[in-house]
Amino acid sequence: MREDGSVPELPEVQALVDFLRERVTGLAIAGVELGSISVLKTYDPPPSSLQGLPVTEVARHGKFIDIEAEGLHLVFHLARAGWLRWSDTLAATTIRPGKSPIALRCRLSDGSGFDLTEAGTKKRLAAYIVRDPAQVPGISRLGRDPMAEDFTEADFAALLDGRRTQVKGLLKDQAFLAGVGNAYSDEVLHAARLSPFALASGLGQEQVHQLYSALRGTLAAAVSAASGKPAKELKDAKRAGMQVHGRTGEACPVCGDVVREVSFADSSLQYCATCQTGGKPLADRRMSRLLK
C-alpha cells in the first residue's frame, strides 16, 4: 500500500486524542476484545486487566495514542492503513479473532466505545498494554516533539547540525522528530521553500529559521484545523488542507507551477520546482517513463 494524505500524523493523532479525552475520561473500560491476535504486541498485563478500571488520561506520544486507566496503559499506533471508529452505542456482539475486519474493540462503561480497523493486507496496526508507555519500543525511540512548548529554534538547529542526511528523510524519522510523516514533511518543506533532497548539514542559518518556522506553523495550523472534528471527518479534512502533498499535476497554490512528484517503491513525495528547487525538476526515473 502506497502512502497518501490519509495516513494519520501528528495533527490527526492529536485530534483523536482530544476527541477521546473528551468522551472517555472518567468512564471505566468495560472490556477489550481482539479481532486479531497479532494486533496485540504484549501479553502481560492481559486485556482482562483493564476491565473495570476508570480512564484517567488520554495522551499522545508522537503518532501513538495512550489511554491510561489507573496506572495501566492501552497504547496503539494506527500505522499506514489503520483508523479509529467511534460509536456512542457499540454492538453487543463480542468480536472474535479471525472473524471480524475489526482489529481491536474497546468497550466503555456507558455502552460507548471504539473499534480499531485496518484496510489492506499489510497488517501493521499495533496495540500494547503496558504499565509504562516507555515499555513500547516505538515510544522509547522517539525524538523530540516538534509541537512541545520548550522545543526552540536553537534545539532544532542543534539536531540538524552535522547531519549529512536529506532533510525530507530526516523530518520523517521518528527518532529525530516525533509525529511528522510523509504528508506533513512535504507540506513543511514547501512552506520553507526547501528542496526535499537538501542536506541538513548544508542549511544556512536563515534556511534553518525558515524550516523551523514552517515546521511549527504548518503543524499548528493543521492541529487547529483538525481540532473538534469527529474522527470520521479527519481524513478528508487532512486531504483538503494539503498544498502539494497528494496533488501531483495540480497548480501550486503559491506560484501556479505544476506540482511534481518523485516516486519510490512504496511511497512518493510531492513538491513545487519553482518554490523549492529553483525551477529545476528533481530526478524521477519512474515518472519520466510514465510521461513519455
Side-chain angles (χ1 to χ4, degrees):
M1 176 182 174
R2 291 168 62 81
E3 291 185 73
D4 60 31
S6 67
V7 179
E9 296 178 33
L10 186 155
E12 295 76 47
V13 175
Q14 184 62 54
L16 287 173
V17 165
D18 295 341
F19 176 89
L20 286 171
R21 184 185 290 131
E22 186 179 307
R23 285 159 178 80
V24 309
T25 304
L27 296 176
I29 295 176
V32 174
E33 301 163 14
L34 301 179
S36 163
I37 294 295
S38 63
V39 73
L40 189 63
K41 307 304 181 185
T42 54
Y43 60 89
D44 180 30
S48 59
S49 63
L50 289 165
Q51 193 166 340
L53 298 182
V55 175
T56 48
E57 175 62 299
V58 184
R60 177 182 62 79
H61 312 280
K63 300 178 192 176
F64 290 85
I65 295 174
D66 173 8
I67 298 176
E68 181 179 0
E70 287 199 340
L72 290 184
H73 299 258
L74 172 61
V75 178
F76 52 91
H77 189 294
L78 295 169
R80 287 191 181 186
W83 198 243
L84 183 148
R85 189 171 64 197
W86 175 264
S87 178
D88 288 332
T89 307
L90 275 177
T93 310
T94 301
I95 61 171
R96 300 188 182 280
K99 304 294 184 182
S100 172
I102 299 164
L104 182 147
R105 171 170 285 170
C106 180
R107 296 181 182 276
L108 297 160
S109 53
D110 67 346
S112 67
F114 60 86
D115 293 331
L116 300 183
T117 62
E118 187 170 22
T121 56
K122 292 183 178 179
K123 302 301 183 185
R124 294 174 176 165
L125 191 152
Y128 310 78
I129 299 172
V130 292
R131 295 177 179 86
D132 182 344
Q135 293 175 292
V136 176
I139 291 178
S140 65
R141 294 194 296 262
L142 286 176
R144 293 290 301 273
D145 189 310
M147 292 305 293
E149 289 184 13
D150 62 351
F151 182 62
T152 66
E153 185 173 331
D155 294 332
F156 186 53
L159 288 177
L160 292 169
D161 188 40
R163 296 258 192 168
R164 291 191 57 77
T165 308
Q166 289 177 349
V167 69
K168 164 75 176 179
L170 205 52
L171 291 176
K172 288 172 56 181
D173 182 352
Q174 297 305 292
F176 179 76
L177 286 180
V180 179
N182 196 37
Y184 285 106
S185 56
D186 280 353
E187 294 298 294
V188 167
L189 289 166
H190 179 252
R193 304 181 70 87
L194 283 175
S195 167
F197 291 171
L199 293 181
S201 58
L203 299 181
Q205 187 174 348
E206 180 58 30
Q207 290 175 310
V208 171
H209 171 70
Q210 287 176 275
L211 185 55
Y212 175 79
S213 298
L215 175 67
R216 299 271 286 195
T218 299
L219 292 177
V223 168
S224 177
S227 178
K229 285 188 167 57
K232 62 184 180 181
E233 295 180 15
L234 288 173
K235 289 185 179 183
D236 289 340
K238 177 181 180 180
R239 290 190 193 98
M242 293 289 146
Q243 300 285 295
V244 292
H245 184 81
R247 299 196 179 279
T248 304
E250 298 180 26
C252 168
V254 174
C255 73
D257 192 5
V258 65
V259 174
R260 301 172 190 270
E261 177 174 309
V262 177
S263 298
F264 306 99
D266 62 352
S267 66
S268 62
L269 65 82
Q270 284 81 44
Y271 70 101
C272 169
T274 295
C275 290
Q276 296 173 255
T277 61
K280 182 181 178 182
L282 298 171
D284 180 21
R285 293 173 186 171
R286 180 177 175 185
M287 289 301 294
S288 296
R289 288 200 303 271
L290 292 175
L291 293 173
K292 283 181 180 178

